């Protein structure tokens, strides 16, 4: 299951990585990442990823650094 409307970046990542499949951080981040076009089909060419909000989750911050994902502390 992907990101739901009530998910934060942290809850989405934990849900994706804690599933029966045990998704890797890069796959979970790609599922949970939000985009400047609000994940719609409009303006896809100019859309940019919004940094993951990982405030208060040092374990996820370390993974984001390891895999070169931008995030906010």
């Amino acid at each position: 299951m992907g990101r739901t409307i009530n998910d934060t970046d942290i809850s989405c990542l934990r849900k994706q990585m804690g599933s029966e499949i045990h998704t890797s951080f890069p796959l979970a981040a790609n599922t949970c990442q939000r985009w400047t076009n609000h994940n719609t089909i409009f303006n896809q060419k100019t859309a940019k990823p919004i940094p993951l909000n990982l405030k208060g989750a040092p374990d996820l911050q370390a993974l984001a650094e390891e895999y070169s994902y931008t995030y906010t502390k």
Side-chain angles (χ1 to χ4, degrees), residues 1-5 7-9 12 16 31-34:
M1 182 172 175
R3 184 182 184 113
T4 62
I5 196 163
D7 276 339
T8 64
D9 291 339
C12 182
Q16 294 299 315
T31 300
C32 297
Q33 188 106 47
R34 293 174 299 131

Side-chain angles (χ1 to χ4, degrees), residues 4-39:
T4 62
I5 196 163
N6 295 325
D7 276 339
T8 64
D9 291 339
I10 293 171
S11 67
C12 182
L13 286 167
R14 293 205 191 284
K15 183 170 52 175
Q16 294 299 315
M17 294 171 65
S19 69
E20 296 87 29
I21 300 171
H22 298 291
T23 305
S24 67
F25 181 84
L27 288 175
N30 288 341
T31 300
C32 297
Q33 188 106 47
R34 293 174 299 131
W35 291 79
T36 56
N37 69 342
H38 305 288
N39 297 351

Side-chain angles (χ1 to χ4, degrees), residues 45-63:
K45 291 181 181 180
T46 58
K48 294 182 176 30
I50 298 171
L52 294 164
N53 181 352
L54 302 179
K55 184 177 182 178
D59 57 327
L60 294 176
Q61 291 174 10
L63 288 169

